[in-house]
Structure formats: structure tokens, C-alpha cells
């Protein structure tokens, strides 16, 4: 975009006294990544704001027809800038930028447009990407930073999985939430000391984390098992999905939400598929092969740690997800969540979570194809599947969303 040519760079000098504001997608994962970034000398403010005012703020700057995650994340940041909490000349914003065919690649341009509309286009916007789209001298993606950030994502996956499988059964309410807080603080301390991210250390801490959740005293009660899939932002973000995990917990469910590491392997694997089909830079192929191997090591160790405790259901490895997807959908269907979303639904059903909520943000065409569009085909393979697509957009009411989920749960309990 032409108006981005004169973009304001985040410089080395800014690093010293600027606060970087980031929207909050996955609370456990992003808290860990925030702490990793702070250990590298950045001042990060992870936004926890929720409520209708965020949606209304987003609607001022992002067209109603643009995907809901863009509206929310930009609304959350603009709401923060207008809160009076920050010195607007000492603040920067950060957003991920995939570089793929999904509209998420353009959120950053929409954010700059919003800033310009308010006369705030002097505020730097940092693009967090691994595609070489933009760089900032004050925010280089170094190997030590990348290694710790990947470890943080993997720890986030493990903590989320174990919390969701422990909380519905805990004898002492709040114990599993307390463990998440304890481990977040512990891992942050270790990252600051330059620890907990080598393969040997990761295996050790995965085992310790799993052991700590396994020791939580559990009630012997039967819960309705529910899987959650969907567009990556709406799947994880309490702001976007109206605190879906908490709602399911209150409804007496045990929840399984697939992790982010498999999504990262999927993204890298897609690049390798493209290179195999169309050719490409050998250096890029080498980098993607290395990244896939690196992510897979974390996935293997996480599964191994969970498997040591029979009360927990481990996630399936990425290669199995790919095999499942191949039965019903082509691997060329890879925009946004692509075939991985369909594979996650199938894997959840195989793992005993045959009741699935598919979170569908308005304006996300790929998600509607690989989510809602695949329900009939998935049900042909798994007749026991009980899948409900839930639309999330500025006009959708929480009551309507929750009533549709309650209806799905009523069906689940009848057939139990």
C-alpha cells in the first residue's frame, strides 16, 4: 500500500522507553511470550480488555465486512490508545503478519489506516513476521528470541491442555488455574536466566508440569467432552468467543482446544508443499525443513509427557492429522486454517470429543469452507459426530450463541 511506504520504523532508541501494546489472542501463550520479550528488554503491555466497547471501537475503523478478528484486534488497540493510560509519543503497536492469502496479512495496513484517521500515524506499528515482509531495527527477530518464543508456545499448549482436562474434576476449585499462574511465573524466571528452552530442559519441565497437574485431587464424575475448533483468533480469544472455555466449564463440560504448535507445523509444511509443487529457493526449503523438525520435536515431547498420566488425553501428532484430512479434503485447501481445521475436528472425534463447537468469525471465507462446509463429509465418516458451527460477528448476541451450544449439549447428553 502506498501510504505504508513512509511507515514509522520502531528503532533501537525507541526500545529503551517505548511501551509496545499487543492484542491478546491466546491468554496463556501470550502471557508467556510477553514475558519472553520483556526478558529481552522490551516493555510490553498485553491487553486484557473485553466488552462491547471494543467491538464498537473496532467498527469505527474497520469495515463491517472485514473479518471479525481484524475488527476486534484493531478495536482493542485503538481503545487502549484512547484510554488515557499511555503517552502516545512513547508507544508502539505490534501485530503478526502471515504473508499468506488470508486477509490477516492486511491487518497491519488496516491498523495504520485507523491511526491515520485519528491523526496518530506517528505511532510505529511493528510487523511480527517470518516472511521478510517488514523489519524494524529496534525489533529484530533473533535466533535466541525465536527459540524462547517457540518454547513459550509449546508450554502454553501444555498448560492449556492440562488445565482444561483438570479443572472440571478438581476437588479444590481454582487449583488448576493456580497451577497455570505458578508455572507462568516459574517459566518466566527461567527464561530470564536463559533456561527452560533447550530440548533437554523442555522435556524436564514438560514432565514436571504434567506431574503437577496429575497430582491434583480429582472427583470421579462424568463430564460431557467438547472440542473447540475454528479460526485461530476466535478459537482462543475470550474477547472474540465470549469466554467460550469458561462457559463450557460452567455447563459441566471438559474441553479440548487443539494447540498452536500443530498450526505452526502446518504453516511451515505448507511452504514445503509449495516448494515441492512449484519449486523455490533452496535456502527457504532448508529453513522450512529445519523449522518443521524443530516444532515437531516440541510436539513429540509434549505428547510423551501427557501420555505418562492415563487421566489425560494427549493430542495426536501432526502427521496423523494430515493422514486424517487426506480422507476427506485436498491438501491444496490451505488458506487460513485450511485442511488442518477439518483434521482437528476428525481427531477430536477419534479422541472421544465427538461434540465439537466450530467457531466461525464473520468474513472468514476459508474457515467457512473447511469448517461449516466440511460438517456433512465428516459426519459420513463419523456418524456419532455432534458438530455445531457458531457465528461470531459484531451483530451476533452472546445469548443466541450460548443457546445454540446448549442445544448441542442437550443432544450430547441424550445420546450419552
Amino acid at each position: 500500500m502506498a501510504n505504508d511506504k513512509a511507515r514509522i520504523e520502531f528503532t533501537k532508541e525507541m526500545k529503551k522507553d517505548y511501551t509496545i501494546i499487543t492484542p491478546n489472542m491466546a491468554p496463556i501463550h501470550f502471557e508467556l511470550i510477553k514475558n519472553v520479550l520483556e526478558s529481552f528488554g522490551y516493555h510490553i503491555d498485553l491487553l486484557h480488555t473485553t466488552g462491547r466497547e471494543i467491538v464498537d471501537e473496532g467498527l469505527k475503523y474497520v469495515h463491517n465486512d472485514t473479518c471479525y478478528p481484524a475488527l476486534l484486534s484493531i478495536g482493542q488497540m485503538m481503545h487502549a490508545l484512547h484510554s488515557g493510560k499511555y503517552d502516545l509519543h512513547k508507544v508502539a503497536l505490534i501485530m503478526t503478519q502471515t504473508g499468506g492469502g488470508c486477509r490477516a496479512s492486511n491487518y497491519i495496513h488496516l491498523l495504520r489506516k485507523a491511526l491515520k484517521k485519528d491523526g496518530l500515524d506517528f505511532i510505529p506499528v511493528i510487523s511480527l513476521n517470518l516472511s521478510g515482509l517488514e523489519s524494524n531495527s529496534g525489533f529484530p527477530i533473533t535466533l535466541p528470541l525465536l527459540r524462547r518464543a517457540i518454547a513459550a508456545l509449546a508450554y502454553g499448549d501444555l498448560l492449556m491442555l492440562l488445565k482444561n482436562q483438570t479443572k472440571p474434576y478438581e476437588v479444590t476449585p481454582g487449583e488448576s488455574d493456580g497451577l497455570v499462574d505458578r508455572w507462568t511465573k516459574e517459566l518466566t524466571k527461567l527464561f530470564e536466566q536463559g533456561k527452560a528452552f533447550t530440548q533437554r530442559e523442555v522435556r524436564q519441565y514438560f514432565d514436571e508440569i504434567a506431574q503437577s497437574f496429575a497430582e491434583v485431587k480429582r472427583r470421579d464424575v462424568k463430564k460431557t467432552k467438547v472440542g473447540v475448533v475454528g479460526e485461530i483468533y476466535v478459537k482462543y480469544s475470550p474477547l472474540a468467543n465470549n469466554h467460550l472455555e469458561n462457559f463450557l466449564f460452567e455447563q459441566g463440560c471438559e474441553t479440548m482446544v487443539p494447540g498452536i504448535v500443530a498450526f505452526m507445523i502446518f504453516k511451515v509444511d505448507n511452504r514445503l508443499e509449495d516448494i515441492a509443487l512449484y519449486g523455490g529457493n533452496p535456502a527457504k526449503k532448508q529453513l522450512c525443513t529445519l523449522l518443521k523438525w524443530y516444532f515437531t520435536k516440541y510436539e513429540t515431547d509434549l505428547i510423551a509427557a501427557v501420555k505418562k498420566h492415563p487421566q489425560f488425553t494427549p493430542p495426536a501428532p501432526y502427521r496423523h492429522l494430515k493422514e486424517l484430512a487426506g480422507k476427506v479434503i485436498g491438501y491444496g485447501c490451505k488458506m487460513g486454517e485450511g485442511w488442518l481445521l477439518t483434521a482437528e475436528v476428525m481427531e477430536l472425534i477419534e479422541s472421544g470429543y465427538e461434540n465439537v463447537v466450530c467457531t466461525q468469525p464473520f468474513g472468514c471465507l476459508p474457515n467457512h469452507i473447511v469448517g461449516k462446509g466440511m460438517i456433512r463429509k465428516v459426519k459420513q465418516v463419523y456418524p456419532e459426530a455432534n458438530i455445531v458451527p457458531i457465528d461470531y460477528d459484531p451483530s451476533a448476541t452472546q445469548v443466541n450463541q450460548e443457546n445454540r451450544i446448549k442445544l448441542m449439549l442437550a443432544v450430547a447428553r441424550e445420546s450419552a
Side-chain angles (χ1 to χ4, degrees):
M1 284 196 176
N3 65 338
D4 281 353
K5 283 182 181 169
R7 72 179 176 90
I8 308 300
E9 187 186 350
F10 184 80
T11 62
K12 288 177 184 173
E13 291 70 37
M14 290 175 178
K15 181 181 174 181
K16 294 171 206 147
D17 55 359
Y18 269 58
T19 298
I20 300 173
I21 299 173
T22 175
N24 192 355
M25 183 182 82
I28 297 172
H29 300 72
F30 275 38
E31 190 66 36
L32 285 165
I33 287 176
K34 164 189 172 268
N35 297 343
V36 166
L37 291 171
E38 288 188 334
S39 74
F40 279 79
Y42 297 100
H43 310 285
I44 308 291
D45 200 354
L46 179 64
L47 300 175
H48 293 95
T49 43
T50 58
R52 180 69 204 185
E53 62 267 29
I54 304 295
V55 177
D56 292 337
E57 192 77 11
L59 284 167
K60 291 179 196 171
Y61 303 98
V62 181
H63 195 280
N64 197 12
D65 279 354
T66 308
C67 38
Y68 192 46
L71 186 143
L72 285 178
S73 49
I74 291 167
Q76 196 176 37
M77 285 195 274
M78 297 306 290
H79 180 266
L81 293 177
H82 294 149
S83 67
K85 183 181 170 185
Y86 305 96
D87 176 350
L88 297 181
H89 291 274
K90 293 285 181 186
V91 77
L93 307 174
I94 190 166
M95 284 198 101
T96 54
Q97 198 178 11
T98 60
C102 172
R103 272 181 285 186
S105 294
N106 296 308
Y107 289 4
I108 205 149
H109 306 297
L110 291 169
L111 178 57
R112 288 187 179 129
K113 194 177 170 188
L115 291 170
K116 191 170 185 182
K117 184 179 177 182
D118 266 11
L120 299 173
D121 47 351
F122 55 84
I123 294 176
V125 179
I126 303 164
S127 165
L128 186 62
N129 71 84
L130 294 174
S131 308
L133 294 169
E134 287 182 8
S135 59
N136 292 269
S137 58
F139 200 94
I141 308 288
T142 62
L143 190 58
L145 174 60
L146 194 59
R147 287 183 71 190
R148 285 163 178 79
I150 291 170
L153 283 178
Y155 285 121
D157 277 357
L158 183 62
L159 288 168
M160 177 179 70
L161 179 137
L162 294 172
K163 184 200 86 167
N164 280 335
Q165 292 189 33
T166 305
K167 189 172 178 176
Y169 306 100
E170 62 192 10
V171 170
T172 310
E175 195 172 349
S176 46
D177 285 329
L179 276 175
V180 171
D181 291 341
R182 188 193 110 194
W183 278 110
T184 300
K185 291 187 181 96
E186 179 71 21
L187 291 167
T188 298
K189 255 189 271 175
L190 291 163
F191 284 145
E192 283 168 359
Q193 295 162 13
K195 295 176 182 172
F197 69 93
T198 67
Q199 211 58 43
R200 185 180 56 78
E201 290 171 322
V202 166
R203 270 197 295 271
Q204 176 197 331
Y205 289 111
F206 276 0
D207 283 344
E208 286 184 24
I209 291 168
Q211 181 63 38
S212 69
F213 278 88
E215 286 168 4
V216 172
K217 285 203 175 104
R218 296 164 73 93
R219 292 178 297 132
D220 186 15
V221 289
K222 192 170 168 55
K223 297 283 180 177
T224 304
K225 291 189 169 188
V226 180
V228 176
V229 299
E231 186 276 333
I232 192 165
Y233 181 88
V234 181
K235 176 166 72 170
Y236 296 117
S237 166
L239 167 64
N241 63 34
N242 290 321
H243 300 272
L244 178 59
E245 280 178 56
N246 279 347
F247 172 73
L248 289 168
F249 170 70
E250 286 160 8
Q251 296 301 307
C253 301
E254 181 200 313
T255 312
M256 171 78 100
V257 187
I260 294 179
V261 170
F263 181 79
M264 301 303 287
I265 300 173
F266 167 71
K267 285 295 172 193
V268 175
D269 192 34
N270 283 338
R271 296 284 171 98
L272 289 169
E273 290 274 1
D274 285 347
I275 291 165
L277 286 169
Y278 312 117
N281 187 326
K284 187 190 255 190
K285 182 180 179 182
Q286 205 170 359
L287 176 63
C288 288
T289 305
L290 180 66
L291 272 173
K292 185 181 175 185
W293 169 80
Y294 195 67
F295 279 120
T296 303
K297 276 184 12 174
Y298 278 102
E299 181 190 64
T300 304
D301 290 341
L302 186 151
I303 293 168
V306 176
K307 274 185 172 174
K308 287 177 183 172
H309 306 281
Q311 63 267 55
F312 300 130
T313 304
Y318 172 81
R319 66 177 183 277
H320 181 63
L321 290 165
K322 196 169 183 179
E323 283 166 17
L324 288 176
K327 296 175 185 177
V328 295
I329 192 170
Y331 296 134
C333 193
K334 58 188 175 61
M335 285 303 145
E337 286 62 48
W339 59 257
L340 181 68
L341 189 151
T342 312
E344 284 178 346
V345 173
M346 296 170 80
E347 194 265 323
L348 282 166
I349 297 165
E350 276 195 351
S351 301
Y353 297 82
E354 64 268 10
N355 310 296
V356 180
V357 177
C358 188
T359 59
Q360 306 276 162
F362 176 80
C364 182
L365 181 61
N367 200 257
H368 278 69
I369 292 165
V370 297
K372 196 182 286 184
M374 290 303 295
I375 290 174
R376 187 175 163 194
K377 212 162 184 181
V378 169
K379 280 187 169 180
Q380 286 171 356
V381 182
Y382 304 99
E384 72 277 23
N386 180 23
I387 308 167
V388 60
I390 303 292
D391 291 322
Y392 291 88
D393 63 67
S395 61
T397 64
Q398 186 169 346
V399 171
N400 184 37
Q401 290 161 349
E402 291 181 352
N403 281 342
R404 293 197 66 215
I405 295 167
K406 282 178 181 175
L407 189 63
M408 183 268 284
L409 293 175
V411 172
R413 283 164 188 148
E414 258 178 48
S415 56

